[in-house]
Amino acid sequence: MLDSGPFLLIVGPLAGAAVVALVVALANALGRWLPGQWDRARLTGGAGAVLAAGLWLLLTQAAQAEWVVYGRALVLDETGRSLFLGILLLLALLYGLTAVWPAESGFVTASLAAVAPLAAMVMIRPFTLGALFLVLAAAALTMAMQSGRTNYTGAAWLYLVVTILALPFFLLAGWLAEAPAAFPWGAARLLAAAAILVLGGFPFVMWVRPAAGAMAVLLRPFLFGAVQLAVLAFLFNWLLARPAWVADPGFQSWLRWSGGITALLGGLLAATSRDWRELPASLLLLNLGLGILTLLLPGTLGWETAVSVLAARSLSLLLVGVGGLLLGSQPPVGDLAGRSRRVGGLLWAYGCLSLLGLPLTLGFDGQWALFSALPAAGGGTSGVALIGLLLAGIAGGLWGLGRVVWAGAALGEGAEARS
Amino acid sequence: MTIFDWLDRLAFLRGEPAAWLAALTAVVIVVAPDLRLALLALAGQYLAAVLLFVDMLDPRLAVVKLLVGWFVCLILYLTGRQTNWGRAPEDLTAAEAAAWQTPKWVRLGRYRLPWWALRAGLAGFTLLLAWWLARQPTVYLPLTPENLAHLNLAVYALLALGLLQMALADQPLAAGMGAFLFLTGFTLFYSNLDQSLVGLALLAAVNLAVALAVSYLAQAKRLRLAAHSAIE
């Protein structure tokens, strides 16, 4: 069975999460005899990194692409395999980093377990059942968001709630796809509503900034990058099978305005942001809007653009997170004492610019592809208005970033003058 | 006693009475001042829902839904016991404990209303709205047979009261009960459309996973209280 990709992706992460939990429990039991540096948090991160890397290696060797369970097929095509190879590699990297910053390691077990339902969501046929796996993944991710955090539980709860609220829309869209019937909304519109809910689009953005602020910084690249990419893969599975849905005017206009307003809102919130620690969450909101808009693009172009935007988002959030950890409580500019803090400031600023998708950053490729393809995706005047919204959002984000950097620099000069 | 014998004994509750029972237990969940009472109402609501499910599903499958629902209640009960039902730890001072408690009064302009009265008012209004919607032919649930018209009331009431509870509750356990009301309401409608075994099993798994996540959040909130208390 180990050469079956679907089997490996369903059973592997769950078994891996159990192994990490056992290793930690064993370390707790043997705590007295272990050397001082073998603390529980580092062990968790290290075990998680080894297991994620091991799963990645096994997945590269997997030959079988189909697994039938109780009459339902789990199909791992080349796109799915590449997606989960990328996700496992990202997890191995993130878990490895928790060995350096052990306080961040709380999310390891639950996030590794979440890979199994995410994989099932992408692989299961018919697609409708994937929505139920998405809620299972959300339950595990809720625990990952809250792990190691004994503060505000509202953000993790809101994330779970929006996923639960999306479930009826997904299931009804799937049912309507199989058995067309008179229904107040068409299947395409139901799918658009579900997509807006799970991708954090306007008006359901309330969980994004609190969640980004409250969770472990090393979890952000996974939750807002890799998990959202898996959700987009699930959505594109439907859209590639039913191209007419993409052309539905309701689907187009709902996603267009939701994505555009989300990006604009992110830009406006960034422009009014006064704290450098809060700024990335607003820039992330802006970037979430771009992710939603990729669903408007037809066929494989949409999926390729989504991969480009979301992969860049993951890496940008990773840079922002690592930069923030290196900086500690110091702002990213001004009087940065020590090499690691200077590097941290640079990584943080580059990550923020990359979330904005400016030229010479990681985010530029995807953003350029999206901007080039959006006018051709239809909409006429509203297409132009959409580009205007996006540019206004990016300008707001840039203004906010500039203001935070300027304020930090002024603070640094003040401190230098005082000394 | 078989499942069918039990269903015969409860025949007087089948149909419209079960729909009202489901709606009224949902109101109790929203209004109840104590989580233990709300949990009891949730257990009763699962029983009422099963009496509605048997009109659409094989009774043996419907009973599985009851078992899953009561298992969810068991998970919530154990969590409630472990977290002292969301109450603040005893070693907090009165001022600290007050900060963790739900406010007893709500100010609406010049007026001060008891919080429970506001909840009761909103729950009553929502129930009336659901009842009114259920009687409107224009919003009749699509593809629901005429002999199951009472499903309209149950589905609308559970969905609306579930959303209301999720919006009003400040404790993970209480808010979680709102999520379960919502899920049951939707499942009542969806079971009429799709009766596949895999879908049923996955919906059961979803209920259990959400119960675990809610329990985890309730424990995390309790840890926060404990940490706060330790710092003080």
XYZ file of all heavy atoms in Angstrom, chain A residues 120-216:
716
model
N -7.723 14.379 1.116
C -8.969 13.695 0.743
C -9.900 14.659 0.016
O -10.578 14.278 -0.943
C -9.641 13.138 1.991
N -9.928 15.912 0.472
C -10.790 16.921 -0.158
C -10.446 17.087 -1.640
O -11.337 17.170 -2.487
C -10.590 18.257 0.577
C -11.257 19.448 -0.068
S -10.817 20.981 0.763
C -9.138 21.254 0.167
N -9.147 17.109 -1.933
C -8.726 17.328 -3.320
C -8.912 16.066 -4.158
O -9.225 16.137 -5.342
C -7.248 17.803 -3.348
C -6.731 17.913 -4.763
C -7.113 19.141 -2.634
N -8.747 14.880 -3.521
C -8.693 13.646 -4.311
C -10.037 12.954 -4.496
O -10.202 12.187 -5.434
C -7.721 12.652 -3.638
C -6.283 13.122 -3.634
S -5.150 11.855 -3.044
C -5.661 11.618 -1.377
N -10.984 13.195 -3.604
C -12.208 12.363 -3.638
C -13.095 12.697 -4.839
O -13.172 13.839 -5.288
C -13.006 12.477 -2.310
C -14.043 11.362 -2.214
C -13.696 13.826 -2.188
C -14.199 10.767 -0.895
N -13.722 11.657 -5.363
C -14.715 11.804 -6.428
C -15.997 11.149 -5.955
O -15.929 10.047 -5.406
C -14.231 11.124 -7.718
C -12.867 11.587 -8.213
C -12.945 13.014 -8.778
N -11.643 13.437 -9.323
C -10.697 14.060 -8.621
N -10.892 14.333 -7.342
N -9.568 14.413 -9.198
N -17.168 11.719 -6.088
C -17.451 13.039 -6.648
C -16.963 14.170 -5.738
O -16.800 13.979 -4.538
C -18.982 13.047 -6.753
C -19.445 12.098 -5.698
C -18.387 11.043 -5.607
N -16.787 15.341 -6.362
C -16.155 16.464 -5.674
C -16.934 16.924 -4.444
O -16.350 17.424 -3.499
C -16.001 17.650 -6.628
C -15.244 17.323 -7.870
C -15.761 17.615 -9.121
C -14.007 16.709 -7.801
C -15.064 17.308 -10.268
C -13.299 16.391 -8.946
C -13.829 16.691 -10.190
N -18.276 16.751 -4.482
C -19.124 17.262 -3.398
C -18.645 16.802 -2.024
O -18.641 17.575 -1.067
C -20.570 16.745 -3.598
O -20.894 16.875 -4.972
C -21.546 17.503 -2.747
N -18.241 15.534 -1.949
C -17.834 14.995 -0.650
C -16.602 15.711 -0.098
O -16.355 15.700 1.106
C -17.559 13.494 -0.772
C -18.787 12.640 -1.107
C -18.384 11.193 -1.331
C -19.818 12.734 0.000
N -15.837 16.338 -0.987
C -14.651 17.079 -0.557
C -14.989 18.157 0.455
O -14.187 18.458 1.347
N -16.196 18.729 0.346
C -16.587 19.802 1.266
C -16.628 19.295 2.706
O -16.285 20.018 3.639
C -17.952 20.343 0.865
N -17.047 18.041 2.877
C -17.110 17.482 4.230
C -15.694 17.296 4.788
O -15.447 17.516 5.973
C -17.866 16.154 4.200
C -19.351 16.317 3.849
C -19.943 15.040 3.305
C -20.129 16.792 5.053
N -14.763 16.904 3.901
C -13.371 16.786 4.345
C -12.785 18.160 4.678
O -11.914 18.274 5.538
C -12.531 16.087 3.276
C -12.759 14.609 3.216
C -13.422 14.024 2.165
C -12.320 13.787 4.249
C -13.653 12.668 2.119
C -12.539 12.424 4.223
C -13.211 11.857 3.150
N -13.267 19.197 3.977
C -12.779 20.549 4.282
C -13.143 20.931 5.720
O -12.330 21.525 6.439
C -13.376 21.552 3.282
C -13.062 23.024 3.545
C -11.562 23.274 3.532
C -13.718 23.919 2.508
N -14.352 20.561 6.155
C -14.740 20.882 7.538
C -13.890 20.069 8.521
O -13.478 20.586 9.575
C -16.241 20.634 7.776
C -16.626 21.032 9.189
C -17.079 21.428 6.790
N -13.597 18.822 8.163
C -12.723 18.016 9.037
C -11.348 18.680 9.152
O -10.770 18.772 10.238
C -12.571 16.593 8.486
C -13.825 15.714 8.474
C -13.503 14.340 7.914
C -14.391 15.571 9.869
N -10.833 19.162 8.011
C -9.526 19.843 8.036
C -9.616 21.114 8.865
O -8.696 21.429 9.643
C -9.085 20.167 6.610
N -10.734 21.838 8.720
C -10.892 23.090 9.470
C -10.906 22.827 10.973
O -10.387 23.629 11.749
C -12.164 23.804 9.040
N -11.503 21.692 11.374
C -11.532 21.365 12.804
C -10.100 21.152 13.311
O -9.726 21.655 14.384
C -12.374 20.120 13.038
N -9.291 20.423 12.518
C -7.894 20.209 12.923
C -7.122 21.529 12.906
O -6.308 21.807 13.800
C -7.231 19.194 11.992
N -7.394 22.365 11.899
C -6.675 23.639 11.794
C -7.079 24.605 12.905
O -6.269 25.424 13.355
C -6.924 24.271 10.422
C -6.237 23.538 9.269
C -6.766 24.017 7.925
C -4.722 23.728 9.343
N -8.331 24.495 13.359
C -8.766 25.319 14.501
C -7.892 25.002 15.706
O -7.458 25.906 16.435
C -10.247 25.014 14.819
O -11.005 25.323 13.660
C -10.750 25.811 15.994
N -7.630 23.707 15.901
C -6.783 23.310 17.030
C -5.350 23.802 16.808
O -4.686 24.249 17.736
C -6.804 21.797 17.185
C -8.173 21.263 17.538
S -8.100 19.509 17.850
C -9.650 18.964 17.211
N -4.894 23.718 15.543
C -3.534 24.190 15.249
C -3.422 25.689 15.523
O -2.410 26.158 16.060
C -3.182 23.886 13.789
N -4.454 26.446 15.166
C -4.419 27.899 15.380
C -4.361 28.235 16.863
O -3.743 29.206 17.273
C -5.682 28.541 14.773
C -5.663 28.593 13.273
S -7.305 28.914 12.612
C -7.401 30.679 12.750
N -5.030 27.409 17.669
C -5.118 27.716 19.096
C -3.982 27.076 19.903
O -3.714 27.483 21.026
C -6.470 27.227 19.616
C -6.896 27.850 20.917
C -7.040 29.351 20.824
O -7.602 29.861 19.880
N -6.495 30.075 21.802
N -3.302 26.068 19.299
C -2.270 25.326 20.036
C -1.191 26.250 20.556
O -0.665 27.079 19.817
C -1.611 24.297 19.127
O -2.505 23.302 18.827
N -0.860 26.055 21.800
C 0.236 26.836 22.379
C -0.144 28.270 22.654
O 0.668 29.057 23.121
N -1.352 28.658 22.325
C -1.819 30.029 22.564
C -2.881 29.977 23.640
O -3.897 29.299 23.456
C -2.444 30.641 21.307
C -1.581 30.543 20.093
C -0.655 31.715 19.997
N 0.541 31.307 19.272
C 1.599 32.066 19.093
N 1.661 33.246 19.585
N 2.638 31.637 18.429
N -2.650 30.616 24.720
C -3.690 30.635 25.749
C -4.332 32.021 25.764
O -4.623 32.574 26.793
C -3.104 30.317 27.125
O -2.020 31.203 27.341
C -2.673 28.890 27.229
N -4.471 32.578 24.585
C -5.131 33.882 24.545
C -6.452 33.762 23.800
O -7.073 32.714 23.788
C -4.202 34.931 23.921
C -3.650 34.474 22.598
O -4.141 33.520 22.013
N -2.630 35.145 22.116
N -6.852 34.799 23.132
C -8.123 34.929 22.438
C -8.494 33.683 21.596
O -7.738 33.289 20.713
C -7.960 36.168 21.555
C -9.085 36.505 20.663
C -10.346 36.737 21.171
C -8.886 36.642 19.288
C -11.375 37.081 20.331
C -9.905 36.993 18.445
C -11.161 37.197 18.975
O -12.175 37.529 18.141
N -9.657 33.101 21.879
C -10.087 31.923 21.111
C -11.038 32.300 19.965
O -11.407 31.453 19.162
C -10.832 30.903 22.003
O -11.901 31.584 22.666
C -9.935 30.268 23.039
N -11.415 33.558 19.908
C -12.428 33.993 18.940
C -12.017 33.808 17.490
O -12.848 33.446 16.652
N -10.735 34.039 17.163
C -10.302 33.967 15.761
C -10.395 32.539 15.239
O -10.922 32.296 14.141
C -8.876 34.489 15.636
N -9.912 31.586 16.043
C -9.964 30.180 15.626
C -11.426 29.739 15.487
O -11.784 29.016 14.547
C -9.239 29.308 16.644
N -12.267 30.200 16.404
C -13.682 29.839 16.362
C -14.340 30.397 15.100
O -15.091 29.692 14.406
C -14.382 30.341 17.629
C -15.865 30.275 17.560
C -16.735 31.316 17.582
C -16.671 29.097 17.431
N -18.026 30.868 17.475
C -18.018 29.514 17.380
C -16.393 27.735 17.341
C -19.072 28.620 17.247
C -17.448 26.843 17.209
C -18.761 27.280 17.170
N -14.034 31.656 14.771
C -14.628 32.261 13.576
C -14.219 31.507 12.312
O -15.009 31.343 11.383
C -14.202 33.733 13.457
C -15.008 34.729 14.278
C -14.438 36.120 14.133
C -16.464 34.727 13.840
N -12.967 31.069 12.280
C -12.485 30.300 11.123
C -13.318 29.016 10.965
O -13.764 28.675 9.865
C -10.996 29.970 11.300
C -10.475 29.031 10.251
C -10.366 29.446 8.929
C -10.105 27.732 10.562
C -9.911 28.579 7.944
C -9.647 26.865 9.587
C -9.555 27.289 8.282
O -9.121 26.436 7.315
N -13.547 28.349 12.095
C -14.350 27.117 12.043
C -15.782 27.440 11.606
O -16.377 26.722 10.788
C -14.344 26.449 13.424
C -15.060 25.110 13.533
C -14.409 24.066 12.638
C -15.077 24.606 14.969
N -16.322 28.544 12.122
C -17.710 28.905 11.804
C -17.881 29.183 10.310
O -18.818 28.684 9.684
C -18.159 30.126 12.644
C -19.457 30.718 12.098
C -18.379 29.711 14.086
N -16.955 29.962 9.721
C -17.145 30.278 8.293
C -17.060 29.001 7.443
O -17.759 28.864 6.442
C -16.169 31.357 7.747
C -16.466 32.709 8.326
C -14.734 30.977 7.918
N -16.211 28.060 7.870
C -16.116 26.805 7.108
C -17.410 26.003 7.249
O -17.893 25.417 6.269
C -14.912 25.963 7.581
O -13.802 26.824 7.751
C -14.541 24.903 6.584
N -17.975 26.000 8.470
C -19.252 25.287 8.666
C -20.353 25.958 7.841
O -21.182 25.285 7.225
C -19.627 25.258 10.169
C -18.675 24.346 10.942
C -21.061 24.777 10.364
C -18.842 24.400 12.443
N -20.337 27.292 7.810
C -21.368 28.003 7.046
C -21.240 27.741 5.545
O -22.227 27.777 4.812
C -21.286 29.516 7.305
C -21.627 29.987 8.717
C -21.598 31.503 8.800
C -22.992 29.489 9.149
N -20.009 27.474 5.091
C -19.807 27.216 3.658
C -20.293 25.830 3.255
O -20.611 25.591 2.082
C -18.324 27.362 3.309
N -20.358 24.917 4.232
C -20.697 23.521 3.915
C -22.031 23.381 3.162
O -22.077 22.701 2.122
C -20.698 22.692 5.213
C -21.018 21.217 5.066
C -19.943 20.507 4.266
C -21.171 20.553 6.428
N -23.134 24.012 3.631
C -24.392 23.865 2.881
C -24.271 24.335 1.432
O -24.836 23.700 0.533
C -25.365 24.762 3.653
C -24.812 24.843 5.021
C -23.341 24.775 4.871
N -23.530 25.414 1.211
C -23.398 25.932 -0.158
C -22.674 24.925 -1.050
O -23.068 24.673 -2.182
C -22.652 27.272 -0.154
C -23.411 28.377 0.527
C -23.123 28.742 1.819
C -24.441 29.031 -0.126
C -23.838 29.746 2.459
C -25.163 30.037 0.501
C -24.862 30.395 1.798
N -21.603 24.347 -0.530
C -20.860 23.340 -1.304
C -21.743 22.133 -1.617
O -21.803 21.667 -2.757
C -19.646 22.848 -0.513
C -18.422 23.706 -0.648
C -17.794 24.252 0.464
C -17.857 23.952 -1.891
C -16.661 25.028 0.349
C -16.716 24.722 -2.019
C -16.124 25.259 -0.899
N -22.411 21.619 -0.575
C -23.191 20.389 -0.766
C -24.350 20.619 -1.728
O -24.633 19.774 -2.585
C -23.704 19.870 0.580
C -22.641 19.337 1.541
C -23.271 18.825 2.824
C -21.817 18.220 0.913
N -24.997 21.782 -1.608
C -26.116 22.052 -2.513
C -25.622 22.267 -3.940
O -26.271 21.830 -4.895
C -26.908 23.263 -2.022
C -27.716 23.017 -0.743
C -28.388 24.288 -0.261
C -28.768 21.931 -0.966
N -24.464 22.933 -4.084
C -23.902 23.115 -5.434
C -23.607 21.758 -6.060
O -23.919 21.513 -7.235
C -22.634 23.959 -5.371
N -23.020 20.867 -5.271
C -22.698 19.530 -5.777
C -23.949 18.755 -6.140
O -23.996 18.080 -7.174
N -24.966 18.870 -5.287
C -26.196 18.145 -5.561
C -26.875 18.691 -6.826
O -27.353 17.922 -7.661
C -27.132 18.259 -4.355
C -28.432 17.595 -4.602
C -28.684 16.258 -4.588
C -29.651 18.236 -4.962
N -29.994 16.021 -4.898
C -30.618 17.227 -5.132
C -30.030 19.560 -5.131
C -31.920 17.499 -5.488
C -31.328 19.842 -5.476
C -32.265 18.815 -5.649
N -26.881 20.014 -6.966
C -27.487 20.618 -8.161
C -26.717 20.253 -9.431
O -27.302 20.141 -10.507
C -27.533 22.140 -8.023
C -28.685 22.695 -7.185
C -28.539 24.183 -6.996
C -30.019 22.387 -7.850
N -25.400 20.075 -9.289
C -24.597 19.691 -10.454
C -24.993 18.306 -10.948
O -24.993 18.029 -12.147
C -23.120 19.714 -10.091
N -25.337 17.427 -9.996
C -25.710 16.052 -10.364
C -27.176 15.959 -10.799
O -27.510 15.189 -11.687
C -25.485 15.102 -9.173
C -24.060 15.069 -8.635
C -23.056 14.602 -9.666
O -23.418 13.746 -10.492
O -21.911 15.100 -9.662
N -28.037 16.717 -10.124
C -29.480 16.608 -10.404
C -30.069 18.006 -10.551
O -30.606 18.540 -9.582
C -30.157 15.869 -9.251
N -29.937 18.610 -11.729
C -30.439 19.980 -11.895
C -31.912 20.078 -11.500
O -32.712 19.224 -11.865
C -30.251 20.251 -13.387
C -29.217 19.277 -13.830
C -29.382 18.067 -12.963
N -32.232 21.091 -10.715
C -33.609 21.260 -10.249
C -33.849 22.740 -10.017
O -32.912 23.533 -9.994
C -33.806 20.485 -8.951
N -35.147 23.077 -9.854
C -35.483 24.484 -9.601
C -34.975 24.854 -8.213
O -35.319 24.198 -7.229
C -36.986 24.656 -9.670
N -34.151 25.863 -8.130
C -33.559 26.272 -6.866
C -33.356 27.784 -6.921
O -33.079 28.330 -7.997
C -32.209 25.548 -6.684
C -31.864 25.322 -5.254
C -32.471 24.309 -4.536
C -30.941 26.134 -4.611
C -32.169 24.102 -3.209
C -30.636 25.932 -3.281
C -31.246 24.910 -2.575
N -33.508 28.471 -5.776
C -33.401 29.932 -5.831
C -32.091 30.410 -6.456
O -32.067 31.411 -7.169
C -33.484 30.338 -4.368
C -34.184 29.219 -3.692
C -33.852 27.979 -4.451
N -30.986 29.755 -6.158
C -29.702 30.106 -6.759
C -29.215 28.950 -7.613
O -29.451 27.796 -7.279
C -28.644 30.350 -5.690
C -28.818 31.623 -4.921
C -29.700 32.628 -5.157
C -28.069 32.007 -3.778
N -29.549 33.611 -4.225
C -28.560 33.268 -3.367
C -27.030 31.425 -3.060
C -28.046 33.942 -2.276
C -26.519 32.104 -1.966
C -27.017 33.348 -1.584
N -28.472 29.279 -8.684
C -27.868 28.234 -9.500
C -26.657 27.646 -8.793
O -26.149 28.221 -7.821
N -26.184 26.482 -9.293
C -25.042 25.811 -8.670
C -23.801 26.694 -8.671
O -23.041 26.727 -7.695
C -24.767 24.509 -9.410
N -23.587 27.445 -9.776
C -22.372 28.274 -9.876
C -22.372 29.344 -8.795
O -21.334 29.633 -8.184
C -22.300 28.908 -11.260
N -23.541 29.933 -8.543
C -23.608 30.988 -7.519
C -23.415 30.410 -6.121
O -22.806 31.039 -5.251
C -24.944 31.710 -7.594
C -25.024 32.553 -8.832
C -26.347 33.206 -9.005
N -26.406 33.712 -10.377
C -27.045 34.801 -10.728
N -27.686 35.508 -9.843
N -27.042 35.196 -11.977
N -23.961 29.213 -5.904
C -23.752 28.570 -4.603
C -22.265 28.309 -4.381
O -21.735 28.521 -3.283
C -24.524 27.257 -4.540
C -26.045 27.386 -4.409
C -26.720 26.057 -4.661
C -26.416 27.904 -3.031
N -21.595 27.859 -5.451
C -20.158 27.599 -5.325
C -19.396 28.904 -5.079
O -18.442 28.936 -4.286
C -19.632 26.915 -6.595
C -18.210 26.389 -6.464
C -18.143 25.200 -5.524
C -17.633 25.986 -7.815
N -19.836 29.986 -5.734
C -19.174 31.281 -5.526
C -19.320 31.720 -4.071
O -18.343 32.174 -3.447
C -19.781 32.329 -6.458
N -20.528 31.548 -3.503
C -20.751 31.936 -2.107
C -19.859 31.112 -1.178
O -19.251 31.645 -0.234
C -22.223 31.749 -1.743
N -19.778 29.810 -1.459
C -18.932 28.943 -0.630
C -17.472 29.365 -0.734
O -16.748 29.423 0.276
C -19.096 27.493 -1.076
N -17.038 29.692 -1.967
C -15.636 30.093 -2.169
C -15.323 31.376 -1.406
O -14.270 31.493 -0.760
C -15.368 30.283 -3.662
N -16.254 32.327 -1.451
C -16.031 33.594 -0.742
C -15.900 33.337 0.759
O -15.047 33.912 1.435
C -17.183 34.580 -1.046
C -17.103 35.028 -2.511
C -17.131 35.789 -0.132
C -18.341 35.760 -3.000
N -16.729 32.448 1.274
C -16.665 32.138 2.709
C -15.322 31.512 3.088
O -14.666 31.963 4.021
C -17.799 31.178 3.069
C -19.145 31.811 3.425
C -20.262 30.801 3.301
C -19.121 32.379 4.828
N -14.917 30.477 2.369
C -13.718 29.748 2.811
C -12.415 30.444 2.432
O -11.375 30.179 3.041
C -13.688 28.282 2.302
C -14.796 27.483 2.913
C -13.742 28.199 0.797
N -12.471 31.345 1.450
C -11.236 32.033 1.063
C -11.092 33.383 1.770
O -10.168 34.142 1.489
C -11.178 32.226 -0.457
C -11.076 30.931 -1.280
C -11.146 31.232 -2.766
C -9.783 30.175 -0.966
N -12.003 33.678 2.685
C -11.882 34.916 3.468
C -12.190 36.153 2.652
O -11.580 37.198 2.858
N -13.157 36.061 1.733
C -13.499 37.220 0.913
C -14.535 38.108 1.577
O -15.250 37.670 2.489
N -14.632 39.354 1.110
C -15.635 40.283 1.622
C -17.025 39.725 1.319
O -17.247 39.236 0.213
C -15.436 41.646 0.948
C -16.390 42.694 1.411
C -16.118 43.436 2.541
C -17.575 42.929 0.735
C -17.002 44.401 2.979
C -18.467 43.888 1.173
C -18.178 44.623 2.295
N -18.006 39.727 2.188
C -18.033 40.345 3.518
C -17.631 39.407 4.658
O -17.930 39.714 5.800
C -19.506 40.742 3.643
C -20.241 39.672 2.911
C -19.340 39.218 1.803
N -17.012 38.300 4.374
C -16.674 37.345 5.441
C -15.184 37.418 5.792
O -14.505 36.405 5.872
C -17.074 35.928 5.018
C -18.507 35.841 4.598
C -18.861 35.724 3.267
C -19.515 35.921 5.539
C -20.183 35.677 2.875
C -20.848 35.877 5.158
C -21.190 35.755 3.819
N -14.697 38.645 5.961
C -13.270 38.833 6.216
C -12.974 38.941 7.713
O -11.823 39.090 8.098
C -12.740 40.113 5.520
C -12.801 39.992 4.029
C -13.533 41.329 5.977
N -14.035 38.842 8.537
C -13.876 39.196 9.953
C -12.869 38.315 10.700
O -12.302 38.732 11.687
C -15.227 39.212 10.668
C -15.919 37.888 10.874
S -16.354 37.075 9.354
C -18.095 37.315 9.280
N -12.632 37.117 10.202
C -11.742 36.223 10.939
C -10.271 36.401 10.530
O -9.373 36.017 11.272
C -12.153 34.767 10.724
C -12.021 34.272 9.312
C -12.929 34.410 8.316
C -10.910 33.584 8.729
N -12.466 33.849 7.162
C -11.230 33.336 7.391
C -9.671 33.156 9.221
C -10.348 32.677 6.517
C -8.812 32.499 8.356
C -9.144 32.270 7.028
N -10.021 37.011 9.367
C -8.671 36.962 8.793
C -7.642 37.714 9.651
O -6.633 37.132 10.067
C -8.678 37.523 7.353
C -7.266 37.599 6.804
C -9.542 36.655 6.463
N -7.916 38.995 9.937
C -6.906 39.778 10.656
C -6.731 39.309 12.101
O -5.601 39.138 12.557
C -7.215 41.264 10.559
C -7.009 41.765 9.107
C -7.425 43.201 8.921
N -6.500 44.136 9.512
C -6.822 45.024 10.451
N -8.037 45.088 10.907
N -5.912 45.847 10.918
N -7.835 39.044 12.840
C -7.628 38.505 14.189
C -6.862 37.181 14.177
O -5.993 36.947 15.007
C -9.047 38.297 14.726
C -9.913 39.164 13.912
C -9.262 39.284 12.573
N -7.171 36.322 13.183
C -6.486 35.024 13.123
C -5.010 35.223 12.826
O -4.148 34.611 13.465
C -7.126 34.141 12.057
N -4.715 36.089 11.860
C -3.308 36.317 11.503
C -2.545 36.906 12.678
O -1.352 36.634 12.857
C -3.223 37.251 10.297
N -3.236 37.692 13.505
C -2.567 38.302 14.657
C -2.394 37.332 15.805
O -1.417 37.400 16.541
N -3.359 36.411 15.966
C -3.356 35.572 17.176
C -2.554 34.282 17.021
O -2.040 33.761 17.993
C -4.796 35.236 17.561
N -2.453 33.747 15.802
C -1.834 32.416 15.657
C -0.300 32.505 15.612
O 0.263 33.597 15.487
C -2.345 31.743 14.383
C -1.822 32.372 13.123
S -2.191 31.410 11.661
C -3.867 31.768 11.402
N 0.335 31.342 15.718
C 1.795 31.277 15.611
C 2.213 31.823 14.237
O 1.585 31.484 13.235
C 2.247 29.828 15.762
